[in-house]
Each structure stands twice: as C-alpha cells, then as structure tokens.
C-alpha cells in the first residue's frame, strides 16, 4: 500500500474500505482518518477519528458526518457554515430567558475532545450522544431549562469519570459554568 494520498478518499466508491485501498483525509487540513481499532495487550479500543491539524475548522463536525462528505471540500465548508449558523442563531428563539450559548459551546467542545479522552468506544459514543442531545435542546425553538440541566449534568458526570486530563477538566469547568447560568 502506498503512503501517498490517492485520488479517492476511502469514503465509498469502489466498495473497498479505506485500509484496503485508500487513505481518508480531512479535505481541509489533510489530517488522516484513523479507523477504530483494538490495540495493545489490554485490547484498548481506539475510536475512529480524523487527526486534524491545529485550527482545522472541520474538527467541529462529528467524525461520521465528516467521513460521509470528505470527498468534497465544498460540502465540508457548507456543513461547517451550517453548524456555526445553528450556534449563532439559537438565541433568537429563546423565550424563557435562558441563554443557551454556554450549552452549545459545551456540546461542541465535548464533540471535539471526545476522541482524546481515552474512553472505551461505547462510553465515548454515549458521551457524544449526550452532547448531541444537549446541542439539539440548546438550539431548539424553546430550550427547556430542565432538559439543559439534565444533559449538562450527564456530560459533567461522564467527563469526571473520564479522568483528570486537561481536556476533561476544562469540560467539567464549562459544564459547571453552564449549570451556574441556569441558577439552581
């Protein structure tokens, strides 16, 4: 297998998986896609992820979404714009006096760091699901404070369980700040 970037990105096409024929790259930063794997003596699972370079805008997109559109830099940029538009316009629909900004930021942050926490695949997937639920609620027409509190508390607990990495600690602090904004 060649180490050079091929014309295809392994997103489909010939029916072969990326490891069989192509390398998959982020079209914006050329960060290579690493498939999920089981590594080492302890069979530690490594989640599928893109190794984005610092500052890559595509890192705000969930891995599976990016993998599905990685052939087209234009589609990736459109998806980034859509994600950012959702984050920028959610406050216009807020009628209960809840500013969901902190919740959207927390959900996005957790999505970015989830693959760096060293969690087992099932726990990482659950963490990302809760982050997506928080994002969906925070950007909904009428975000409910109780649901925001529920999802944020779940994220905080999962981040505490993930350990004391810098990324997890920062996520816990963001969750506490968001919960503080709700008032108890």
């Amino acid at each position: 297998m060649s180490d050079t970037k091929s014309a295809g990105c392994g997103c489909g096409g010939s029916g072969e998986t990326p490891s069989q024929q192509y390398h998959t790259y982020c079209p914006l930063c050329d960060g290579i896609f690493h498939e999920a794997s089981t590594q080492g003596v302890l069979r530690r699972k490594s989640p599928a992820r893109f190794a984005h370079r610092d500052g890559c805008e595509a890192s705000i997109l969930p891995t599976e979404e990016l993998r599905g559109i990685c052939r087209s830099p234009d589609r990736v940029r459109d998806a980034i714009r859509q994600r950012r538009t959702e984050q920028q316009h959610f406050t216009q629909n807020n009628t209960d006096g809840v500013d969901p900004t902190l919740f959207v930021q927390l959900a996005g942050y957790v999505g970015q760091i989830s693959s760096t926490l060293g969690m087992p695949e099932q726990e990482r997937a659950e963490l990302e699901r809760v982050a997506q639920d928080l994002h969906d609620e925070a950007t909904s027409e009428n975000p409910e404070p109780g649901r925001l509190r529920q999802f944020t508390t779940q994220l905080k607990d999962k981040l505490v369980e993930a350990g004391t990495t810098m990324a997890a600690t920062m996520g816990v602090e963001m969750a506490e700040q968001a919960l503080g904004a709700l008032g108890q």
Side-chain angles (χ1 to χ4, degrees), residues 59 85 132:
S59 65
T85 298
Q132 185 62 51

Side-chain angles (χ1 to χ4, degrees), residues 88-138:
Q88 290 172 356
H89 294 290
F90 63 90
T91 54
Q92 295 175 356
N93 299 324
N94 183 11
T95 59
D96 291 334
V98 175
D99 180 3
T101 305
L102 296 173
F103 301 97
V104 172
Q105 290 172 346
L106 173 61
Y109 177 74
V110 169
Q112 289 177 358
I113 66 160
S114 64
S115 65
T116 68
L117 298 175
M119 301 172 80
E121 177 64 21
Q122 188 172 7
E123 290 177 28
R124 183 192 62 79
E126 177 64 13
L127 178 73
E128 289 180 357
R129 185 197 59 77
V130 174
Q132 185 62 51
D133 289 346
L134 177 61
H135 180 270
D136 292 346
E137 183 63 32

Side-chain angles (χ1 to χ4, degrees), residues 5 24-33 50-53 56:
K5 190 172 174 180
T24 303
Y25 292 86
C26 169
L28 301 186
C29 72
D30 288 331
I32 193 166
F33 175 76
F50 281 88
H52 292 288
R53 291 186 168 69
C56 179

Side-chain angles (χ1 to χ4, degrees), residues 25-69:
Y25 292 86
C26 169
L28 301 186
C29 72
D30 288 331
I32 193 166
F33 175 76
H34 298 280
E35 295 183 62
S37 64
T38 304
Q39 304 171 348
V41 176
L42 299 177
R43 298 273 189 206
R44 183 179 176 133
K45 291 186 176 181
S46 173
R49 64 181 175 77
F50 281 88
H52 292 288
R53 291 186 168 69
D54 289 340
C56 179
E57 295 178 310
S59 65
I60 69 169
L61 299 175
T63 298
E64 287 308 311
E65 179 180 354
L66 179 57
R67 185 135 187 254
I69 60 175

Side-chain angles (χ1 to χ4, degrees), residues 60-61 65 69 74-84:
I60 69 169
L61 299 175
E65 179 180 354
I69 60 175
D74 290 336
R75 287 185 65 197
V76 171
R77 288 184 187 96
D78 288 344
I80 292 167
R81 274 193 291 278
Q82 180 179 358
R83 178 67 59 118
R84 288 198 173 136

